Amino acid sequence: MHIIRRRAWEVTERQVTPEHVVLNRRSLLAGATAMTILPSVFARADVPVTDFKPGRPVTEEKYATTYNNYYEFNDTKTVWRDAQALKQRPWTIRLDGMLKQPRTVGIDDLLKQVSLEERIYRHRCVEAWAMTVPWTGFPLAQLLKLAEPLGSAKYVVFETAQDKVMSGLDAPFYPWPYVEGVTIDEASNDLAFISTGMYGKPLPPQNGGPIRVTLPWKYGFKSAKAIVKITFTDKRPSTFWESLGPSEYGFWANVNPAISHPRWSQASERLLGSDERVPTQIFNGYGEQVAALYADRKNEKLFM
Ligand SMILES: Nc1nc2c(c(=O)[nH]1)N[C@H]1C(S)=C(S)[C@@H](COP(=O)(O)O)O[C@H]1N2
Ligand SMILES: [Mo]
């Protein structure tokens, strides 16, 4: 029996059951064959689902999994083809820096120590496209608890894989590895999530499989894919996109329709799979949950 842990900002009653959840339940009921197809630890049909009131339809899976950014492979939107070459097992994650005991954990060991759930989040790329995705995974706060950072650590830094199948790594000019980071306070926020599945299935390589971070109130580039190292530090990290273009891609990168990218407006966004444009919301619509994180940071460039 899975209990849905409700928080003030969650819906009190599920208004809709997303179609893929219904389908997975059905295939579970269909018996043993379906059970062997559904890998229990990555993504399960019986995990608690929270929809976070997306206010728009869930993006069709075929669009969310075939229109991607993954610069380690290449800079085209059809990078999903090349990304299939990234082996998803074995996979380890190094926990490093200012924590009680630096160590390396295997992903399947890690997954046994957390409680999986499904969350439907909006995703807003800084390029002004957006999708709405059912992620399976666990709160980043659970990982912090397992990692036991020292009280003096202020930031969590995610470093992503550099594999020989990633031909984009040979491209000059990019400051590999892809590194992203947030404050410990941001990482502890209820919305900060580690994704290991989507649409009730293991996370596909092109979407960051086997493990990525998902920070729905920030522009998508903060949500690092294919994480191999998590470091705790008291120094603000130099992050991939910020070091490439600090005036275009800041460290904080909170979504804000009122602050234009130097080369385009951020006022609206295109929904993947349709030509519909919808207004962009501050903090991507999650201000109620995250605005307080920034109350004492008024003098910083929080929104690009
Ligand atoms: N390692 C890595 N992570 C990454 C990127 C990348 O190029 N490499 N692109 C980022 C950007 S710009 C976005 S919008 C999202 C896209 O996630 P999606 O492909 O699952 O939609 O991944 C982010 N994480
Ligand atoms: Mo992005």
Side-chain angles (χ1 to χ4, degrees), residues 195-228:
S195 298
T196 54
M198 71 196 291
Y199 297 91
K201 300 171 190 164
L203 192 60
Q206 65 270 32
N207 293 94
I211 184 165
R212 78 178 290 170
V213 60
T214 303
L215 304 161
W217 70 99
K218 291 179 177 287
Y219 289 117
F221 65 85
K222 296 294 294 183
S223 294
K225 299 177 170 183
I227 295 166
V228 291

PDB file of all heavy atoms in Angstrom, residues 195-228:
ATOM      1  N   SER A 195      15.112  12.354 -11.292  1.00  0.00           N
ATOM      2  CA  SER A 195      14.283  11.520 -12.165  1.00  0.00           C
ATOM      3  C   SER A 195      15.058  10.306 -12.639  1.00  0.00           C
ATOM      4  O   SER A 195      16.198  10.422 -13.098  1.00  0.00           O
ATOM      5  CB  SER A 195      13.826  12.318 -13.392  1.00  0.00           C
ATOM      6  OG  SER A 195      13.036  13.415 -13.004  1.00  0.00           O
ATOM      7  N   THR A 196      14.386   9.150 -12.542  1.00  0.00           N
ATOM      8  CA  THR A 196      14.957   7.908 -13.057  1.00  0.00           C
ATOM      9  C   THR A 196      13.997   7.219 -14.029  1.00  0.00           C
ATOM     10  O   THR A 196      14.304   6.161 -14.561  1.00  0.00           O
ATOM     11  CB  THR A 196      15.300   6.942 -11.904  1.00  0.00           C
ATOM     12  OG1 THR A 196      14.119   6.753 -11.110  1.00  0.00           O
ATOM     13  CG2 THR A 196      16.396   7.516 -11.014  1.00  0.00           C
ATOM     14  N   GLY A 197      12.863   7.851 -14.237  1.00  0.00           N
ATOM     15  CA  GLY A 197      11.894   7.311 -15.180  1.00  0.00           C
ATOM     16  C   GLY A 197      11.031   8.425 -15.738  1.00  0.00           C
ATOM     17  O   GLY A 197      11.013   9.539 -15.208  1.00  0.00           O
ATOM     18  N   MET A 198      10.348   8.131 -16.840  1.00  0.00           N
ATOM     19  CA  MET A 198       9.316   9.044 -17.333  1.00  0.00           C
ATOM     20  C   MET A 198       8.253   8.230 -18.059  1.00  0.00           C
ATOM     21  O   MET A 198       8.548   7.152 -18.575  1.00  0.00           O
ATOM     22  CB  MET A 198       9.904  10.174 -18.199  1.00  0.00           C
ATOM     23  CG  MET A 198      10.423   9.795 -19.549  1.00  0.00           C
ATOM     24  SD  MET A 198      11.515  11.050 -20.326  1.00  0.00           S
ATOM     25  CE  MET A 198      10.410  12.378 -20.690  1.00  0.00           C
ATOM     26  N   TYR A 199       7.027   8.703 -18.044  1.00  0.00           N
ATOM     27  CA  TYR A 199       5.913   7.981 -18.672  1.00  0.00           C
ATOM     28  C   TYR A 199       5.849   6.526 -18.181  1.00  0.00           C
ATOM     29  O   TYR A 199       5.584   5.609 -18.952  1.00  0.00           O
ATOM     30  CB  TYR A 199       6.024   8.043 -20.200  1.00  0.00           C
ATOM     31  CG  TYR A 199       5.914   9.454 -20.736  1.00  0.00           C
ATOM     32  CD1 TYR A 199       7.056  10.234 -20.913  1.00  0.00           C
ATOM     33  CD2 TYR A 199       4.677  10.020 -21.031  1.00  0.00           C
ATOM     34  CE1 TYR A 199       6.964  11.539 -21.379  1.00  0.00           C
ATOM     35  CE2 TYR A 199       4.574  11.321 -21.495  1.00  0.00           C
ATOM     36  CZ  TYR A 199       5.716  12.080 -21.668  1.00  0.00           C
ATOM     37  OH  TYR A 199       5.626  13.371 -22.121  1.00  0.00           O
ATOM     38  N   GLY A 200       6.162   6.331 -16.902  1.00  0.00           N
ATOM     39  CA  GLY A 200       6.052   4.987 -16.334  1.00  0.00           C
ATOM     40  C   GLY A 200       7.079   4.000 -16.818  1.00  0.00           C
ATOM     41  O   GLY A 200       6.906   2.789 -16.672  1.00  0.00           O
ATOM     42  N   LYS A 201       8.174   4.493 -17.423  1.00  0.00           N
ATOM     43  CA  LYS A 201       9.229   3.619 -17.957  1.00  0.00           C
ATOM     44  C   LYS A 201      10.582   4.132 -17.484  1.00  0.00           C
ATOM     45  O   LYS A 201      10.679   5.279 -17.048  1.00  0.00           O
ATOM     46  CB  LYS A 201       9.222   3.650 -19.490  1.00  0.00           C
ATOM     47  CG  LYS A 201       7.925   3.196 -20.121  1.00  0.00           C
ATOM     48  CD  LYS A 201       7.979   3.484 -21.621  1.00  0.00           C
ATOM     49  CE  LYS A 201       6.596   3.272 -22.235  1.00  0.00           C
ATOM     50  NZ  LYS A 201       6.506   3.887 -23.555  1.00  0.00           N
ATOM     51  N   PRO A 202      11.629   3.312 -17.623  1.00  0.00           N
ATOM     52  CA  PRO A 202      12.953   3.834 -17.293  1.00  0.00           C
ATOM     53  C   PRO A 202      13.251   5.088 -18.109  1.00  0.00           C
ATOM     54  O   PRO A 202      12.803   5.217 -19.254  1.00  0.00           O
ATOM     55  CB  PRO A 202      13.898   2.698 -17.694  1.00  0.00           C
ATOM     56  CG  PRO A 202      13.045   1.477 -17.700  1.00  0.00           C
ATOM     57  CD  PRO A 202      11.670   1.920 -18.091  1.00  0.00           C
ATOM     58  N   LEU A 203      13.976   6.012 -17.524  1.00  0.00           N
ATOM     59  CA  LEU A 203      14.309   7.256 -18.203  1.00  0.00           C
ATOM     60  C   LEU A 203      15.138   6.948 -19.451  1.00  0.00           C
ATOM     61  O   LEU A 203      16.185   6.334 -19.356  1.00  0.00           O
ATOM     62  CB  LEU A 203      15.114   8.127 -17.240  1.00  0.00           C
ATOM     63  CG  LEU A 203      15.336   9.580 -17.622  1.00  0.00           C
ATOM     64  CD1 LEU A 203      14.014  10.327 -17.768  1.00  0.00           C
ATOM     65  CD2 LEU A 203      16.229  10.263 -16.593  1.00  0.00           C
ATOM     66  N   PRO A 204      14.687   7.350 -20.640  1.00  0.00           N
ATOM     67  CA  PRO A 204      15.466   7.041 -21.844  1.00  0.00           C
ATOM     68  C   PRO A 204      16.778   7.838 -21.850  1.00  0.00           C
ATOM     69  O   PRO A 204      16.840   8.922 -21.265  1.00  0.00           O
ATOM     70  CB  PRO A 204      14.577   7.501 -23.002  1.00  0.00           C
ATOM     71  CG  PRO A 204      13.298   7.963 -22.420  1.00  0.00           C
ATOM     72  CD  PRO A 204      13.460   8.114 -20.950  1.00  0.00           C
ATOM     73  N   PRO A 205      17.801   7.291 -22.507  1.00  0.00           N
ATOM     74  CA  PRO A 205      19.098   7.987 -22.498  1.00  0.00           C
ATOM     75  C   PRO A 205      18.996   9.438 -22.971  1.00  0.00           C
ATOM     76  O   PRO A 205      19.639  10.317 -22.401  1.00  0.00           O
ATOM     77  CB  PRO A 205      19.980   7.147 -23.434  1.00  0.00           C
ATOM     78  CG  PRO A 205      19.166   6.020 -23.920  1.00  0.00           C
ATOM     79  CD  PRO A 205      17.855   6.003 -23.213  1.00  0.00           C
ATOM     80  N   GLN A 206      18.190   9.699 -23.971  1.00  0.00           N
ATOM     81  CA  GLN A 206      18.127  11.065 -24.511  1.00  0.00           C
ATOM     82  C   GLN A 206      17.532  12.066 -23.519  1.00  0.00           C
ATOM     83  O   GLN A 206      17.768  13.267 -23.625  1.00  0.00           O
ATOM     84  CB  GLN A 206      17.353  11.102 -25.835  1.00  0.00           C
ATOM     85  CG  GLN A 206      15.878  10.753 -25.750  1.00  0.00           C
ATOM     86  CD  GLN A 206      15.591   9.277 -25.939  1.00  0.00           C
ATOM     87  OE1 GLN A 206      16.392   8.414 -25.582  1.00  0.00           O
ATOM     88  NE2 GLN A 206      14.433   8.971 -26.495  1.00  0.00           N
ATOM     89  N   ASN A 207      16.754  11.579 -22.566  1.00  0.00           N
ATOM     90  CA  ASN A 207      16.173  12.471 -21.559  1.00  0.00           C
ATOM     91  C   ASN A 207      16.997  12.497 -20.264  1.00  0.00           C
ATOM     92  O   ASN A 207      16.563  13.052 -19.265  1.00  0.00           O
ATOM     93  CB  ASN A 207      14.731  12.082 -21.261  1.00  0.00           C
ATOM     94  CG  ASN A 207      13.812  12.329 -22.449  1.00  0.00           C
ATOM     95  OD1 ASN A 207      13.576  11.407 -23.242  1.00  0.00           O
ATOM     96  ND2 ASN A 207      13.337  13.545 -22.628  1.00  0.00           N
ATOM     97  N   GLY A 208      18.174  11.868 -20.322  1.00  0.00           N
ATOM     98  CA  GLY A 208      19.073  11.952 -19.165  1.00  0.00           C
ATOM     99  C   GLY A 208      19.246  10.650 -18.423  1.00  0.00           C
ATOM    100  O   GLY A 208      19.795  10.635 -17.319  1.00  0.00           O
ATOM    101  N   GLY A 209      18.749   9.554 -18.995  1.00  0.00           N
ATOM    102  CA  GLY A 209      18.881   8.261 -18.357  1.00  0.00           C
ATOM    103  C   GLY A 209      20.337   7.913 -18.136  1.00  0.00           C
ATOM    104  O   GLY A 209      21.171   8.321 -18.929  1.00  0.00           O
ATOM    105  N   PRO A 210      20.631   7.180 -17.067  1.00  0.00           N
ATOM    106  CA  PRO A 210      19.648   6.601 -16.147  1.00  0.00           C
ATOM    107  C   PRO A 210      19.237   7.524 -14.996  1.00  0.00           C
ATOM    108  O   PRO A 210      18.310   7.192 -14.280  1.00  0.00           O
ATOM    109  CB  PRO A 210      20.388   5.376 -15.587  1.00  0.00           C
ATOM    110  CG  PRO A 210      21.829   5.782 -15.587  1.00  0.00           C
ATOM    111  CD  PRO A 210      22.001   6.668 -16.794  1.00  0.00           C
ATOM    112  N   ILE A 211      19.881   8.679 -14.863  1.00  0.00           N
ATOM    113  CA  ILE A 211      19.531   9.512 -13.705  1.00  0.00           C
ATOM    114  C   ILE A 211      19.833  10.978 -13.998  1.00  0.00           C
ATOM    115  O   ILE A 211      20.908  11.317 -14.486  1.00  0.00           O
ATOM    116  CB  ILE A 211      20.260   8.992 -12.436  1.00  0.00           C
ATOM    117  CG1 ILE A 211      19.850   9.782 -11.190  1.00  0.00           C
ATOM    118  CG2 ILE A 211      21.777   8.970 -12.608  1.00  0.00           C
ATOM    119  CD1 ILE A 211      20.237   9.107  -9.876  1.00  0.00           C
ATOM    120  N   ARG A 212      18.858  11.825 -13.754  1.00  0.00           N
ATOM    121  CA  ARG A 212      19.018  13.264 -13.982  1.00  0.00           C
ATOM    122  C   ARG A 212      18.387  14.025 -12.824  1.00  0.00           C
ATOM    123  O   ARG A 212      17.632  13.453 -12.034  1.00  0.00           O
ATOM    124  CB  ARG A 212      18.338  13.681 -15.278  1.00  0.00           C
ATOM    125  CG  ARG A 212      16.834  13.789 -15.099  1.00  0.00           C
ATOM    126  CD  ARG A 212      16.090  14.252 -16.324  1.00  0.00           C
ATOM    127  NE  ARG A 212      16.321  15.637 -16.652  1.00  0.00           N
ATOM    128  CZ  ARG A 212      15.918  16.188 -17.808  1.00  0.00           C
ATOM    129  NH1 ARG A 212      15.300  15.438 -18.718  1.00  0.00           N
ATOM    130  NH2 ARG A 212      16.117  17.445 -18.055  1.00  0.00           N
ATOM    131  N   VAL A 213      18.661  15.317 -12.790  1.00  0.00           N
ATOM    132  CA  VAL A 213      17.984  16.162 -11.820  1.00  0.00           C
ATOM    133  C   VAL A 213      16.887  16.927 -12.560  1.00  0.00           C
ATOM    134  O   VAL A 213      16.997  17.192 -13.767  1.00  0.00           O
ATOM    135  CB  VAL A 213      19.003  17.073 -11.094  1.00  0.00           C
ATOM    136  CG1 VAL A 213      19.741  17.987 -12.037  1.00  0.00           C
ATOM    137  CG2 VAL A 213      18.352  17.871  -9.978  1.00  0.00           C
ATOM    138  N   THR A 214      15.802  17.242 -11.880  1.00  0.00           N
ATOM    139  CA  THR A 214      14.660  17.938 -12.473  1.00  0.00           C
ATOM    140  C   THR A 214      14.262  19.090 -11.546  1.00  0.00           C
ATOM    141  O   THR A 214      13.853  18.861 -10.411  1.00  0.00           O
ATOM    142  CB  THR A 214      13.491  16.946 -12.677  1.00  0.00           C
ATOM    143  OG1 THR A 214      13.958  15.855 -13.491  1.00  0.00           O
ATOM    144  CG2 THR A 214      12.322  17.607 -13.385  1.00  0.00           C
ATOM    145  N   LEU A 215      14.445  20.295 -12.049  1.00  0.00           N
ATOM    146  CA  LEU A 215      14.223  21.517 -11.252  1.00  0.00           C
ATOM    147  C   LEU A 215      13.195  22.366 -11.994  1.00  0.00           C
ATOM    148  O   LEU A 215      13.559  23.226 -12.800  1.00  0.00           O
ATOM    149  CB  LEU A 215      15.550  22.276 -11.112  1.00  0.00           C
ATOM    150  CG  LEU A 215      16.703  21.457 -10.509  1.00  0.00           C
ATOM    151  CD1 LEU A 215      18.050  22.080 -10.824  1.00  0.00           C
ATOM    152  CD2 LEU A 215      16.511  21.300  -8.999  1.00  0.00           C
ATOM    153  N   PRO A 216      11.900  22.123 -11.784  1.00  0.00           N
ATOM    154  CA  PRO A 216      10.889  22.634 -12.714  1.00  0.00           C
ATOM    155  C   PRO A 216      10.698  24.147 -12.703  1.00  0.00           C
ATOM    156  O   PRO A 216      10.081  24.668 -13.625  1.00  0.00           O
ATOM    157  CB  PRO A 216       9.613  21.920 -12.257  1.00  0.00           C
ATOM    158  CG  PRO A 216       9.842  21.589 -10.821  1.00  0.00           C
ATOM    159  CD  PRO A 216      11.315  21.295 -10.717  1.00  0.00           C
ATOM    160  N   TRP A 217      11.220  24.849 -11.691  1.00  0.00           N
ATOM    161  CA  TRP A 217      11.029  26.309 -11.669  1.00  0.00           C
ATOM    162  C   TRP A 217      12.166  27.051 -12.361  1.00  0.00           C
ATOM    163  O   TRP A 217      12.153  28.259 -12.477  1.00  0.00           O
ATOM    164  CB  TRP A 217      10.864  26.801 -10.235  1.00  0.00           C
ATOM    165  CG  TRP A 217      12.086  26.750  -9.349  1.00  0.00           C
ATOM    166  CD1 TRP A 217      12.931  27.790  -9.056  1.00  0.00           C
ATOM    167  CD2 TRP A 217      12.590  25.626  -8.607  1.00  0.00           C
ATOM    168  NE1 TRP A 217      13.925  27.378  -8.187  1.00  0.00           N
ATOM    169  CE2 TRP A 217      13.738  26.053  -7.897  1.00  0.00           C
ATOM    170  CE3 TRP A 217      12.181  24.282  -8.466  1.00  0.00           C
ATOM    171  CZ2 TRP A 217      14.477  25.203  -7.071  1.00  0.00           C
ATOM    172  CZ3 TRP A 217      12.935  23.441  -7.649  1.00  0.00           C
ATOM    173  CH2 TRP A 217      14.053  23.894  -6.969  1.00  0.00           C
ATOM    174  N   LYS A 218      13.162  26.294 -12.836  1.00  0.00           N
ATOM    175  CA  LYS A 218      14.331  26.878 -13.495  1.00  0.00           C
ATOM    176  C   LYS A 218      14.347  26.514 -14.974  1.00  0.00           C
ATOM    177  O   LYS A 218      13.770  25.499 -15.366  1.00  0.00           O
ATOM    178  CB  LYS A 218      15.607  26.343 -12.829  1.00  0.00           C
ATOM    179  CG  LYS A 218      15.802  26.854 -11.412  1.00  0.00           C
ATOM    180  CD  LYS A 218      17.066  26.282 -10.796  1.00  0.00           C
ATOM    181  CE  LYS A 218      17.294  26.848  -9.402  1.00  0.00           C
ATOM    182  NZ  LYS A 218      17.747  28.248  -9.404  1.00  0.00           N
ATOM    183  N   TYR A 219      15.041  27.311 -15.757  1.00  0.00           N
ATOM    184  CA  TYR A 219      15.221  26.954 -17.155  1.00  0.00           C
ATOM    185  C   TYR A 219      15.869  25.573 -17.246  1.00  0.00           C
ATOM    186  O   TYR A 219      16.686  25.185 -16.398  1.00  0.00           O
ATOM    187  CB  TYR A 219      16.045  28.020 -17.881  1.00  0.00           C
ATOM    188  CG  TYR A 219      15.277  29.304 -18.076  1.00  0.00           C
ATOM    189  CD1 TYR A 219      15.682  30.499 -17.490  1.00  0.00           C
ATOM    190  CD2 TYR A 219      14.098  29.306 -18.826  1.00  0.00           C
ATOM    191  CE1 TYR A 219      14.948  31.673 -17.658  1.00  0.00           C
ATOM    192  CE2 TYR A 219      13.355  30.474 -18.999  1.00  0.00           C
ATOM    193  CZ  TYR A 219      13.780  31.645 -18.408  1.00  0.00           C
ATOM    194  OH  TYR A 219      13.032  32.788 -18.572  1.00  0.00           O
ATOM    195  N   GLY A 220      15.498  24.866 -18.303  1.00  0.00           N
ATOM    196  CA  GLY A 220      15.848  23.452 -18.431  1.00  0.00           C
ATOM    197  C   GLY A 220      17.323  23.135 -18.343  1.00  0.00           C
ATOM    198  O   GLY A 220      17.691  22.032 -17.921  1.00  0.00           O
ATOM    199  N   PHE A 221      18.193  24.076 -18.698  1.00  0.00           N
ATOM    200  CA  PHE A 221      19.623  23.733 -18.716  1.00  0.00           C
ATOM    201  C   PHE A 221      20.174  23.446 -17.327  1.00  0.00           C
ATOM    202  O   PHE A 221      21.230  22.842 -17.191  1.00  0.00           O
ATOM    203  CB  PHE A 221      20.449  24.805 -19.447  1.00  0.00           C
ATOM    204  CG  PHE A 221      20.493  26.179 -18.809  1.00  0.00           C
ATOM    205  CD1 PHE A 221      21.401  26.473 -17.811  1.00  0.00           C
ATOM    206  CD2 PHE A 221      19.628  27.181 -19.254  1.00  0.00           C
ATOM    207  CE1 PHE A 221      21.453  27.743 -17.243  1.00  0.00           C
ATOM    208  CE2 PHE A 221      19.673  28.460 -18.698  1.00  0.00           C
ATOM    209  CZ  PHE A 221      20.586  28.739 -17.687  1.00  0.00           C
ATOM    210  N   LYS A 222      19.449  23.868 -16.262  1.00  0.00           N
ATOM    211  CA  LYS A 222      19.902  23.545 -14.900  1.00  0.00           C
ATOM    212  C   LYS A 222      19.707  22.060 -14.581  1.00  0.00           C
ATOM    213  O   LYS A 222      20.312  21.541 -13.652  1.00  0.00           O
ATOM    214  CB  LYS A 222      19.127  24.373 -13.871  1.00  0.00           C
ATOM    215  CG  LYS A 222      19.325  25.869 -13.937  1.00  0.00           C
ATOM    216  CD  LYS A 222      20.730  26.332 -13.591  1.00  0.00           C
ATOM    217  CE  LYS A 222      21.126  26.087 -12.143  1.00  0.00           C
ATOM    218  NZ  LYS A 222      22.495  26.633 -11.881  1.00  0.00           N
ATOM    219  N   SER A 223      18.821  21.392 -15.328  1.00  0.00           N
ATOM    220  CA  SER A 223      18.455  20.009 -15.016  1.00  0.00           C
ATOM    221  C   SER A 223      19.401  19.035 -15.708  1.00  0.00           C
ATOM    222  O   SER A 223      19.118  18.505 -16.783  1.00  0.00           O
ATOM    223  CB  SER A 223      17.004  19.759 -15.436  1.00  0.00           C
ATOM    224  OG  SER A 223      16.120  20.534 -14.649  1.00  0.00           O
ATOM    225  N   ALA A 224      20.548  18.817 -15.077  1.00  0.00           N
ATOM    226  CA  ALA A 224      21.631  18.035 -15.690  1.00  0.00           C
ATOM    227  C   ALA A 224      21.243  16.578 -15.888  1.00  0.00           C
ATOM    228  O   ALA A 224      20.657  15.946 -15.013  1.00  0.00           O
ATOM    229  CB  ALA A 224      22.882  18.140 -14.828  1.00  0.00           C
ATOM    230  N   LYS A 225      21.618  16.062 -17.055  1.00  0.00           N
ATOM    231  CA  LYS A 225      21.331  14.668 -17.429  1.00  0.00           C
ATOM    232  C   LYS A 225      22.513  13.753 -17.112  1.00  0.00           C
ATOM    233  O   LYS A 225      23.651  14.208 -17.056  1.00  0.00           O
ATOM    234  CB  LYS A 225      21.091  14.594 -18.942  1.00  0.00           C
ATOM    235  CG  LYS A 225      19.920  15.414 -19.419  1.00  0.00           C
ATOM    236  CD  LYS A 225      19.770  15.352 -20.931  1.00  0.00           C
ATOM    237  CE  LYS A 225      18.447  15.978 -21.334  1.00  0.00           C
ATOM    238  NZ  LYS A 225      18.219  15.889 -22.783  1.00  0.00           N
ATOM    239  N   ALA A 226      22.230  12.478 -17.014  1.00  0.00           N
ATOM    240  CA  ALA A 226      23.276  11.439 -16.932  1.00  0.00           C
ATOM    241  C   ALA A 226      24.326  11.774 -15.872  1.00  0.00           C
ATOM    242  O   ALA A 226      25.517  11.873 -16.135  1.00  0.00           O
ATOM    243  CB  ALA A 226      23.942  11.253 -18.302  1.00  0.00           C
ATOM    244  N   ILE A 227      23.846  11.907 -14.639  1.00  0.00           N
ATOM    245  CA  ILE A 227      24.723  12.336 -13.538  1.00  0.00           C
ATOM    246  C   ILE A 227      25.649  11.201 -13.089  1.00  0.00           C
ATOM    247  O   ILE A 227      25.206  10.084 -12.834  1.00  0.00           O
ATOM    248  CB  ILE A 227      23.861  12.817 -12.346  1.00  0.00           C
ATOM    249  CG1 ILE A 227      23.089  14.075 -12.758  1.00  0.00           C
ATOM    250  CG2 ILE A 227      24.721  13.078 -11.116  1.00  0.00           C
ATOM    251  CD1 ILE A 227      21.977  14.441 -11.802  1.00  0.00           C
ATOM    252  N   VAL A 228      26.948  11.529 -12.998  1.00  0.00           N
ATOM    253  CA  VAL A 228      27.922  10.545 -12.506  1.00  0.00           C
ATOM    254  C   VAL A 228      28.602  11.009 -11.218  1.00  0.00           C
ATOM    255  O   VAL A 228      29.272  10.220 -10.558  1.00  0.00           O
ATOM    256  CB  VAL A 228      29.016  10.223 -13.553  1.00  0.00           C
ATOM    257  CG1 VAL A 228      28.424   9.460 -14.733  1.00  0.00           C
ATOM    258  CG2 VAL A 228      29.746  11.476 -14.021  1.00  0.00           C
TER     259      VAL A 228
END
